[in-house]
Amino acid sequence: MAAVQRLLRTAASGGAASVARRRMTALAPEQAPLAAAFPFAVAERSRRRPAEERNVQWVFLGCPGVGKGTYASRLSRLLGVPHIATGDLVRDELASSGPLAVQLAEIVNQGKLVSDEIIINLLSKRLKKGEEQGESGFILDGFPRTVKQAEILDGVTDIDMVVNLKLREDVLVEKCLGRRICSQCGKNFNLACIDVKGENGLPPIYMEPLLPPNNCMAKLITRADDTEEVVRNRLQIYNDMSLPVEGFYQQQGKLLEFDLPGGIPESWPKLLHVLNLEDQEEMKLATA
């Protein structure tokens, strides 16, 4: 993890990535009720490991549809840490016969945010399971969405860096409307071919469609919440409720803003460059 350590040293000296770590502190009394929502909170507080003794613990922020899952999952494979997407946790619960399934279906189909209580419950179970299996580090995707959630997370673990992916709204809407899922294999694809000219000071953006193989084409389905009305509603909710989270982490010196220049071929190498991880990918490719 030499590249990651370089990134952290750069931040400590005031580099552009600015991901300085917070000093680990005990929970203040008023934070205890929040942290108590996580069953593993007490154990986690008592044995937080220094950054040099564990893997990275990152958060990915960004509007719905920006690509948090795509880039977080790629980085999780590169760095050898689990990618934990709260959206996937919600969808897994929706597909189950659990007591939350009906309640979640109504919330998701209306484009509303799932409550703190439900998200915290699902995430706490996932992190506890990972701890029992010996996982070290993680990349969180879709959590925290509110300052309250960020405060809860701060109470039980140390976040090293928060990557905020940014993309203009008109492109986001078009991208969301092109999303498809294979009903058989569960993989995600996108039928939208986005080719937006640069104007009014904004750069041009081109994103090729992510087409499925022939055996998946006839099995594609659209997510129930991927309608223009719901997508725009979700973006408005994000802007109203989640943008303060960016300020929360910016005050801590952990926020790294990254404007996506295009699709994966254009954005992935630039993201690795910003994170000082080019040599990490080269080493992995060389040993593959």
Side-chain angles (χ1 to χ4, degrees), residues 5-255:
Q5 297 302 323
R6 286 204 308 275
L7 175 62
L8 296 172
R9 286 198 295 270
T10 301
S13 62
S18 185
V19 289
R21 298 177 182 277
R22 281 179 74 200
R23 189 185 317 165
M24 286 183 271
T25 58
L27 279 176
E30 62 270 21
Q31 287 179 299
L34 294 177
F38 289 86
F40 53 85
V42 175
E44 190 67 31
R45 286 168 54 194
S46 66
R47 62 171 186 278
R48 289 186 179 180
R49 295 162 61 187
E52 61 272 15
E53 295 180 8
R54 58 163 170 78
N55 218 321
V56 302
Q57 296 183 171
W58 291 353
V59 165
F60 266 64
L61 297 180
C63 289
V66 75
K68 297 185 296 294
T70 297
Y71 295 101
S73 62
R74 279 180 166 238
L75 283 169
S76 77
R77 291 192 295 271
L78 180 65
L79 299 174
V81 298
H83 167 215
I84 302 175
T86 54
D88 289 341
L89 297 180
V90 168
R91 283 186 282 276
D92 289 344
E93 189 68 28
L94 280 169
S96 73
S97 57
L100 283 178
V102 175
Q103 182 182 357
L104 281 172
E106 183 178 351
I107 294 171
V108 171
N109 290 338
Q110 293 177 5
K112 295 179 180 179
L113 287 180
V114 179
S115 71
D116 286 354
E117 182 182 3
I118 293 175
I119 288 294
I120 290 164
N121 179 271
L122 295 175
L123 181 60
S124 66
K125 288 192 294 185
R126 171 62 184 85
L127 290 178
K128 185 174 186 296
K129 180 181 178 181
E131 179 186 0
E132 293 170 350
Q133 295 177 344
E135 289 179 351
S136 172
F138 53 76
I139 297 179
L140 286 183
D141 161 14
F143 186 92
R145 292 195 178 199
T146 65
V147 171
K148 179 183 176 183
Q149 290 179 353
E151 290 171 345
I152 294 172
L153 193 60
D154 256 14
V156 298
T157 193
D158 294 297
I159 298 301
D160 305 321
M161 182 170 62
V162 178
V163 181
N164 185 29
L165 299 181
K166 304 181 76 174
L167 191 62
R168 45 194 277 193
E169 184 170 321
D170 57 334
V171 174
L172 273 170
V173 172
E174 190 174 349
K175 188 168 179 278
C176 286
L177 296 182
R179 293 193 296 194
R180 300 291 186 275
I181 302 172
C182 177
S183 59
Q184 181 171 324
C185 70
K187 291 183 178 179
N188 294 287
F189 305 98
N190 201 301
L191 305 184
C193 181
I194 298 172
D195 189 2
V196 180
K197 295 181 179 180
E199 56 185 6
N200 300 324
L202 297 174
I205 294 180
Y206 178 75
M207 294 184 177
E208 293 184 349
L210 181 58
L211 299 176
N214 291 334
N215 60 312
C216 290
M217 184 63 78
K219 305 178 184 70
L220 296 184
I221 58 174
T222 303
R223 282 172 40 170
D225 56 333
D226 276 348
T227 66
E228 183 168 355
E229 180 182 1
V230 171
V231 167
R232 290 192 182 277
N233 186 42
R234 291 171 69 204
L235 293 176
Q236 185 61 52
I237 291 174
Y238 181 86
N239 289 331
D240 290 344
M241 297 183 61
S242 297
L243 284 178
V245 179
E246 298 174 16
F248 178 86
Y249 285 117
Q250 191 162 25
Q251 288 181 349
Q252 294 183 0
K254 296 179 179 179
L255 188 70

